[in-house]
Amino acid sequence: MHPTDDEPVRQRELRFARRVHHVRTLGAALSALLVASVLARDGAPAWTWTLWAFNGFLWPLLAHSLTLRSSEPAQSAQRFLVFDSAAAGMWIAIMQFNLVPSAVLLAMVSMDKIAVGGWRFLGRTTLPLLAACALTSTALGFAVRLESSMSNVLATLPFLFVYPIALATLTYGLGRSVALKNRQLERLNRVDVVTGLLNRRGWNETLGAELARHARTRRPAVLMLVDVDGFKAVNERHGHLAGDAVLRSVSSVLRACTREIDAPARYGGDKFGVLLAETSQAGALRVAERVRTAFLAERTAEAAAEGCTLSIGLAQADLSVVTTDEWLTRADTAMYRAKAGGRNRVEPDGTLAGQLY
């Protein structure tokens, strides 16, 4: 794979690593508080406090630094999360299974594993937790002291409140980010990349909605189809970049000559369409003539050299139009009549022509 192809993947993995670091740093500090309450009550030796300081405050920084240096940050972050679970098991045994702090620590460490990788990841990290707990308990002579003092209970409260809220906030933010990306993807699926107009899929949806509105309200609407005369010659003699420039000039003209409530689109190839909402027959003809003449002034030098013009067909929505395909067929027929009649002209469909002339 080309190096530039790896970059977006690495950036996503680094973002994941940063999220893990923030959650680990908060969780380690809060767990250090509840562990300290038990160590102080039990008169723990100095080595235990040294281990406590490393795990609670230095380990998050070390894990983050190692993750950022890794060639695969996401995998490194997950490996260190497995280590976090093992550390939790060790502390549960060191606390001699003190009931409330141990239960809270176990619940919270399970919560963040589910948040990261679901139940499967939790299952993957449970075995190291149990193994570390069993080994530590064995080394300490299977010491068990379940009772929790009031200070132990109070030390768990910050963990119980702050950590779930932090995880919920992170999850909510990720959910919003995914929803935004889905909306952006949906928009891209409805937009033509060359012209920035609606593509055929997006435009057909708009036509269906407008036709349904017309059936309910009888408000006027006219469909305009536009074909670029001579476009093939531009592509063949001047190249596809020149052809794309012609398409963009057509889209620019359509935007300039229509209103916010109208819907211009690239229907396919060198064919464009515009849904003219709340437009009378005479108004549609004026818009079409404005588009046709504006293109003559705005077309590129290559388009002018090949005699590119616009042939435009118009079709009005009425009670005889039941489906969008029927509406498009009428506009398409009018457009080809314009091409057959000499090109560079506007041709209404039969119904509209009878009312205009």
Side-chain angles (χ1 to χ4, degrees):
M1 183 179 291
H2 194 277
T4 56
D5 295 333
D6 285 334
E7 194 60 27
V9 175
R10 181 169 177 80
Q11 290 303 319
R12 287 195 297 270
E13 291 190 356
L14 289 175
R15 285 196 296 271
F16 169 72
R18 283 191 287 270
R19 289 195 296 268
V20 169
H21 171 63
H22 294 151
V23 172
R24 175 185 285 118
T25 301
L26 177 63
L30 293 172
S31 61
L33 177 62
L34 66 86
V35 170
S37 73
V38 178
L39 297 182
R41 185 202 68 173
D42 295 343
W47 69 265
T48 309
W49 286 103
T50 302
L51 185 60
W52 170 85
F54 170 79
N55 191 212
F57 304 102
L58 296 181
W59 165 245
L61 299 175
L62 177 60
H64 188 52
S65 176
L66 293 174
T67 300
L68 295 182
R69 295 177 185 177
S70 172
S71 60
E72 297 179 326
Q75 290 189 15
S76 293
Q78 290 196 351
R79 283 196 295 267
F80 291 140
L81 284 170
V82 175
F83 178 86
D84 291 344
S85 290
M90 176 192 70
W91 285 115
I92 289 173
I94 290 175
M95 291 189 295
Q96 301 177 24
F97 303 94
N98 190 302
L99 188 58
V100 175
S102 296
V104 170
L105 182 58
L106 181 61
M108 296 307 166
V109 79
S110 300
M111 183 187 301
D112 65 25
K113 301 307 178 293
I114 294 172
V116 167
W119 286 92
R120 180 174 295 182
F121 188 59
L122 175 63
R124 176 184 162 192
T125 60
T126 298
L127 184 59
L129 185 150
L130 295 175
C133 184
L135 289 173
T136 305
S137 181
T138 301
L140 297 177
F142 301 102
V144 176
R145 189 177 179 184
L146 296 178
E147 64 272 13
S148 302
S149 67
M150 181 56 67
S151 63
N152 297 150
V153 174
L154 292 176
T156 65
L157 294 182
F159 212 152
L160 283 172
F161 284 97
V162 177
Y163 198 66
I165 290 173
L167 274 181
T169 302
L170 178 61
T171 304
Y172 174 72
L174 290 174
R176 290 193 62 183
S177 178
V178 169
L180 176 60
K181 283 180 169 52
N182 286 339
R183 287 195 297 271
Q184 291 172 340
L185 182 60
E186 177 63 22
R187 180 181 178 277
L188 289 175
N189 286 337
R190 302 175 76 250
V191 173
D192 175 62
V193 295
V194 175
T195 63
L197 300 177
L198 287 173
N199 60 21
R200 183 168 184 166
R201 173 192 171 190
W203 197 52
N204 281 342
E205 292 174 0
T206 303
L207 294 186
E210 182 61 26
L211 196 58
R213 189 183 76 90
H214 173 76
R216 293 193 310 270
T217 65
R218 301 295 186 267
R219 300 298 300 170
V222 176
L223 182 58
M224 179 168 73
L225 283 184
V226 181
D227 189 78
V228 184
D229 307 316
F231 179 75
K232 184 178 179 181
V234 174
N235 265 340
E236 291 178 348
R237 296 174 187 171
H238 302 279
H240 289 286
L241 290 179
D244 288 348
V246 174
L247 297 177
R248 283 191 289 269
S249 67
V250 176
S251 69
S252 176
V253 167
L254 292 179
R255 285 194 184 94
C257 294
T258 56
R259 306 158 298 172
E260 288 292 330
I261 64 171
D262 299 326
R266 184 184 177 192
Y267 192 61
D270 59 348
K271 186 180 294 185
F272 292 79
V274 182
L275 172 61
L276 298 168
E278 297 291 338
T279 302
S280 66
Q281 298 113 331
L285 185 60
R286 287 194 295 271
V287 173
E289 284 291 347
R290 191 159 62 242
V291 167
R292 185 186 65 80
T293 56
F295 176 72
L296 296 177
E298 296 291 332
R299 62 186 175 177
T300 64
E302 292 81 2
E306 301 304 330
C308 284
T309 57
L310 300 182
S311 293
I312 302 175
L314 301 174
Q316 177 189 7
D318 57 33
L319 294 178
S320 66
V321 178
V322 178
T323 67
T324 56
D325 286 343
E326 292 173 355
W327 202 7
L328 285 164
T329 297
R330 284 173 49 172
D332 198 54
T333 300
M335 184 193 69
Y336 279 105
R337 195 162 55 243
K339 295 181 76 70
R343 302 184 176 184
N344 190 28
R345 57 183 291 160
V346 178
E347 188 74 29
D349 75 335
T351 304
L352 187 53
Q355 300 181 50
L356 288 174
Y357 302 117

